Amino acid sequence: MARRPLPRILSSGSAQIARSRQVARTAADSATDVLHPLIAITRGLRQLAAVAGHKWAATPKERRGPTLFLAAACFLVVALMPYGPLIALIAVMAAAAWKGRVRTPVKTGPDEAEAGRLRALYEALVPYFSVAEDPAPLFAHGGEWGKAFSDYEFDDNGRLTQLRVTYPAYFTDGEAESRARIEQLLHAKSGRGREYLFTWDEEGNQLVMSVLAALPTSIAAQRFITVPGESVLGFTDHGAVRRTVPVTQGEVTRDAPPVIWRTGPRSTEPHLLAVGEPGGGTTTLLRSIALQALQHGDVLIVEGSGTGEYACLTGRTGVLAVECGLAGALATLEWAAHETERRLIAANRARQAGHPAPADTKRPLWILLDRPSIFGHLAAADGGTDPQELLQVPLRHGRAAQVTVVVAEQFDSVDSLTETVRTHTRARVVLGPATFEQIESVLGTKPHTTPTPDVPPGRGYARLGTGPALRLQVPATPDPYDEATSEAHRQAVLELLPEYPDGTEPAAALSPDPAHVSVPAPVPAEG
């Protein structure tokens, strides 16, 4: 049978009761806010009275009489003083307010959720840090994790940000595979998507895991305080290098730790190889190096992709050529090889005659190649010479001739690089998302941190020679002619570009043609 509707007064009564409760709760909260000082003072008086009662109960009976006499004397002195009772009342109220204030409890240990994470991590490490022959294992199923873990910190989401692990002395921490297994486990159990730094103390049998903050991406291209022969590849973590340089981020100037690459006759890594995925930032790195190199030297640019990424440099003072075609690339690199030989011959003759080297042999010459493998494929199809073969002389003898070669390539074309390029480019950079294996294949060693799958352009690692692998963030140096470039970054790059020889900007620079070929005139050898 159909249900009869409730009377109107019954159906609307629950809503009225809910509104009444809400009004009462609001009124109570308002009253609590208004009466908060009085509540705090009352709480403090109660606590002071409780303390006084405990003190009195703890006082021996033979000392209670003198204590009462001393209290009465103090009360009499205060009562006879001018404004004494008022001052005493204010002092008591102040002490009560201070005693009754709401204090945030100090956290002295992990909460239940954090302790559960630590226990789960401890149990996961047991198979790696225990052996059956150990009579008193530090890691055992159901054991105490507090003996193995210390200095732990958590973020607001309850994930570990720092942890110190004490492991048994028999663990093979000297083997890279053993350390990699532990690092992979800690990375997986502590939360993916973050970059972790693992510091092994083999003497103390301790491992410190810490989460690294993201490197800032707001540093744009600018004039860095360096000496001739130094180039800033990017910026790294504080403490990773000993030097800092002032940088401008928006309207703020601060000191940042740079990754400095030194070139010239005394450099141990005179040439550089940068590898990355499409959009990883290798072109940005070459553009940043070119802007810094133009302060003290000349630049040759060979772009294999032919997209006009370096059109803003065409025709500028110090830019000898910007080549995007195979014929122009071959002619330019052939000239660079002859120029390297000419410099070596001129410097050698000057030294034999007891004279300083000529000035034209001291001015640095930079050869920047972006995606040379594309030219190699085109040359192979035409049966011609691979442009990389023309780099043998600049790579092998460039350090003595003040010639520096920078090559940028993508991971899928690294195998097409010649053995000469691989051998003589001892400064290495990896940009963009990459696996441990890819990073190790380029740098020759695995990084001490865990690379993340999602990174901004220009983020990666750098290694100079046999040094450590450093985290790297390349300064933002986009193509100023790209419509997607922000106005701030566009102006930052335009301010660094050299002037044109005649002081005017040609129309070709405003609408660059990627097929434009500009070959420098060969310089005749002395003699």
Side-chain angles (χ1 to χ4, degrees):
M1 58 182 297
R3 295 185 179 181
R4 299 177 58 185
L6 294 174
R8 179 181 179 85
I9 186 172
L10 295 179
S11 61
S12 62
S14 59
Q16 186 175 1
I17 292 173
R19 287 196 300 270
S20 300
R21 290 178 178 176
Q22 183 65 28
V23 171
R25 189 179 296 108
T26 304
D29 294 340
S30 301
T32 301
D33 294 338
V34 173
L35 299 177
H36 179 72
L38 182 59
I39 295 174
I41 292 175
T42 304
R43 187 189 304 113
L45 289 174
R46 185 170 62 252
Q47 293 178 1
L48 289 176
V51 171
H54 290 306
K55 290 288 186 181
W56 179 259
T59 303
K61 293 183 178 180
E62 62 273 8
R63 296 182 57 185
R64 292 183 178 181
T67 302
L68 285 176
F69 178 77
L70 181 61
C74 293
F75 179 78
L76 181 62
V77 170
V78 171
L80 296 178
M81 287 176 55
Y83 305 103
L86 180 60
I87 296 176
L89 179 62
I90 294 175
V92 172
M93 293 297 103
W98 177 259
K99 189 71 174 178
R101 74 189 188 280
V102 178
R103 286 168 285 190
T104 304
V106 179
K107 186 177 180 180
T108 58
D111 56 23
E112 184 177 354
E114 295 172 351
R117 281 181 173 268
L118 292 174
R119 173 158 294 281
L121 185 60
Y122 174 85
E123 294 290 339
L125 290 173
V126 169
Y128 302 94
F129 285 150
S130 63
V131 293
E133 297 80 7
D134 192 350
L138 181 62
F139 284 81
H141 291 294
E144 299 182 6
W145 58 264
K147 296 181 180 179
F149 295 162
S150 61
D151 298 343
Y152 42 81
E153 296 180 5
F154 294 85
D155 58 10
D156 297 336
N157 297 325
R159 296 194 300 175
L160 276 168
T161 59
Q162 184 172 338
L163 177 66
R164 181 183 295 273
V165 181
T166 302
Y167 55 86
Y170 51 75
F171 175 71
T172 55
D173 51 5
E175 300 178 2
E177 296 181 357
S178 300
R179 294 197 303 267
R181 286 195 297 268
I182 300 301
E183 293 175 1
Q184 183 179 5
L185 175 63
L186 293 175
H187 178 205
K189 293 294 184 180
S190 301
R192 299 184 183 274
R194 301 183 296 175
E195 200 162 0
Y196 294 87
L197 173 65
F198 297 97
T199 305
W200 291 84
D201 181 9
E202 299 180 3
E203 295 181 357
N205 299 322
Q206 291 185 343
L207 167 63
V208 178
M209 179 194 71
S210 56
V211 177
L212 296 175
L215 295 175
T217 59
S218 56
I219 302 179
Q222 54 193 280
R223 292 296 183 206
F224 302 114
I225 299 179
T226 57
V227 299
E230 291 183 345
S231 299
V232 176
L233 299 180
F235 297 90
T236 185
D237 300 295
H238 286 278
V241 293
R242 301 180 180 179
R243 179 176 172 181
T244 60
V245 296
V247 297
T248 301
Q249 292 182 258
E251 298 180 355
V252 180
T253 301
R254 67 177 185 88
D255 291 337
V259 178
I260 299 293
W261 174 39
R262 294 174 176 85
T263 58
R266 294 178 176 84
S267 173
T268 56
E269 304 88 21
H271 309 295
L272 181 140
L273 172 63
V275 183
E277 295 290 350
T282 54
T283 300
T284 298
L285 174 62
L286 262 64
R287 197 181 294 113
S288 174
I289 292 176
L291 293 177
Q292 298 180 61
L294 287 172
Q295 298 183 65
H296 309 287
D298 298 326
V299 175
L300 289 173
I301 301 176
V302 176
E303 181 187 2
S305 59
T307 56
E309 293 287 343
Y310 306 92
C312 60
L313 296 169
T314 303
R316 301 277 181 175
T317 302
V319 181
L320 302 181
V322 178
E323 301 298 342
C324 300
L326 176 60
L330 290 173
T332 300
L333 295 180
E334 185 177 0
W335 175 88
H338 291 312
E339 172 66 10
T340 304
E341 295 175 350
R342 185 196 68 83
R343 292 187 175 205
L344 291 174
I345 295 173
N348 184 43
R349 289 178 178 177
R351 283 193 294 268
Q352 291 180 356
H355 301 298
D360 59 350
T361 64
K362 294 182 179 180
R363 183 170 177 82
L365 174 63
W366 293 72
I367 305 174
L368 310 182
L369 293 92
D370 195 349
R371 301 294 309 278
S373 61
I374 297 179
F375 289 133
H377 296 319
L378 296 177
D382 294 340
T385 303
D386 188 345
Q388 295 186 56
E389 299 296 333
L390 301 174
L391 291 175
Q392 293 189 15
V393 175
L395 286 171
R396 294 182 177 182
H397 307 287
R399 178 171 60 179
Q402 293 280 3
V403 177
T404 302
V405 179
V406 181
V407 179
E409 193 52 83
Q410 296 182 3
F411 277 112
D412 56 0
S413 302
V414 170
D415 295 338
S416 63
L417 296 176
T418 62
E419 187 64 26
T420 304
V421 174
R422 292 170 174 269
T423 303
H424 292 87
T425 51
R426 300 185 68 250
R428 300 292 181 90
V429 174
V430 176
L431 298 178
T435 62
F436 273 111
E437 291 73 17
Q438 289 177 323
I439 297 174
E440 185 179 12
S441 65
V442 177
L443 301 184
T445 184
K446 290 185 178 180
H448 295 294
T449 63
T450 55
T452 56
D454 299 324
V455 294
R459 177 72 56 80
Y461 298 90
R463 189 188 187 200
L464 305 179
T466 58
L470 303 174
R471 289 208 304 166
L472 180 72
Q473 177 62 53
V474 178
T477 316
D479 181 9
Y481 296 158
D482 188 357
E483 296 180 356
T485 302
S486 65
E487 188 61 28
H489 289 169
R490 187 196 317 276
Q491 292 299 325
V493 175
L494 291 177
E495 291 176 0
L496 298 179
L497 290 174
E499 299 291 338
Y500 288 94
D502 55 358
T504 61
E505 186 169 354
L510 300 177
S511 301
D513 182 7
H516 171 69
V517 176
S518 174
V519 183
V523 179
E526 294 185 0

